């Protein structure tokens, strides 16, 4: 597989994944939990079949370490998707999450005591300015689109602030997870496919606490208009089609679909370097990253 093809898969998967997530969130803004559950279930089943060899393959990294990583990963995924229910527009959601470079640098300095070149600090500053401008304009849009009632506008703004807080928390937690993952890879070696499987399989019982919300949205999905899938001719509720496409298009974003040497080409890693050694950024899951 050539690097250009790997880059194309990531960009095509990312763009189409966001399009289908936008279609889902536009109709049902609170559907984040069912989207997260579907993505986790898909990756867990794929990993159980092809990576864990139906449970016969023992993990190279002890499960207790995965338990810590899974707690952070599950929290990040749920919080990121739930933010869409807090007056966070999809463009702001995407742009804000690009601030992972900033979070990685901050935690890298604090925890790993790393130092970076002036060029990297300048680049981070420019990204920060862009995110600030987008966030500021989004805040104005939230207040202008609210009801004419001053009280309703204030409540909408507070809800938007809560969404910004959720995205910020998820951003920092994701960066911390990346550092934890780095230490595990140094100790036990890199096992990205194994980590991908356990990060998605172990949190599945946690969705029991979200079962009511997932069921409610499944009912809403069933009531959506019917759609005939092209080339297949099968008719399904259109929201289920959007969800299926969202889950499928996230797959090229995972290292199980693209060898790690090519995934490396598609990610900006320069801000997670210290000294002469290169450390990997955590691969985000959009949740469908």
């Amino acid at each position: 597989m050539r690097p250009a093809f790997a880059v194309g898969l990531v960009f095509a998967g990312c763009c189409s994944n966001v399009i289908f997530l936008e279609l889902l969130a536009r109709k049902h803004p609170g559907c984040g939990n069912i989207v997260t559950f579907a993505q986790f279930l898909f990756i867990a089943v794929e990993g159980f079949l092809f990576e864990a060899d139906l449970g016969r393959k023992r993990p190279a990294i002890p499960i207790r370490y995965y338990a810590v990583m899974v707690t952070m990963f599950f929290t990040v995924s749920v919080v990121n998707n739930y933010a869409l229910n807090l007056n966070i527009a999809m463009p702001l959601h995407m742009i804000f999450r690009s601030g992972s470079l900033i979070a990685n640098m901050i935690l890298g300095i604090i925890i790993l005591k790393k130092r970076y070149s002036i060029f990297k600090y300048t680049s981070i500053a420019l990204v920060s300015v862009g995110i600030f401008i987008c966030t500021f304009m989004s805040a104005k849009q939230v207040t202008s689109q609210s009801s004419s009632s001053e009280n309703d506008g204030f409540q909408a703004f507070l809800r938007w602030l809560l969404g910004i807080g959720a995205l910020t928390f998820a951003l920092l937690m994701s960066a911390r997870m990346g550092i934890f993952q780095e230490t595990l890879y140094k100790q036990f070696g890199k096992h990205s496919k194994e980590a991908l499987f356990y990060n998605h399989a172990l949190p599945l019982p946690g969705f029991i606490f979200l079962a009511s919300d997932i069921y409610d949205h499944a009912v809403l999905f069933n009531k959506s208009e019917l759609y005939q899938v092209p080339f297949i001719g099968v008719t399904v509720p259109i929201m289920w089609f959007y969800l299926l496409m969202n889950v499928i298009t996230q797959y090229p974003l995972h290292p199980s679909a693209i060898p790690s040497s090519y995934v490396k080409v598609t990610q900006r890693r320069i801000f997670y370097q210290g000294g002469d050694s290169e450390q990997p950024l955590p691969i985000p899951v959009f949740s469908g990253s």
Side-chain angles (χ1 to χ4, degrees), residues 91-93 95-96 129-139 160:
L92 176 62
H93 193 280
I95 294 174
F96 204 91
V129 170
I131 294 175
F132 173 79
I133 293 174
C134 180
T135 304
F136 178 74
M137 297 305 296
S138 177
W160 177 83

Side-chain angles (χ1 to χ4, degrees), residues 17-36:
N17 183 268
V18 170
I19 289 173
F20 287 110
L21 184 63
E22 170 75 14
L23 292 171
L24 288 165
R26 184 180 299 174
K27 186 69 174 179
H28 298 292
C31 68
N33 289 331
I34 192 172
V35 173
T36 306

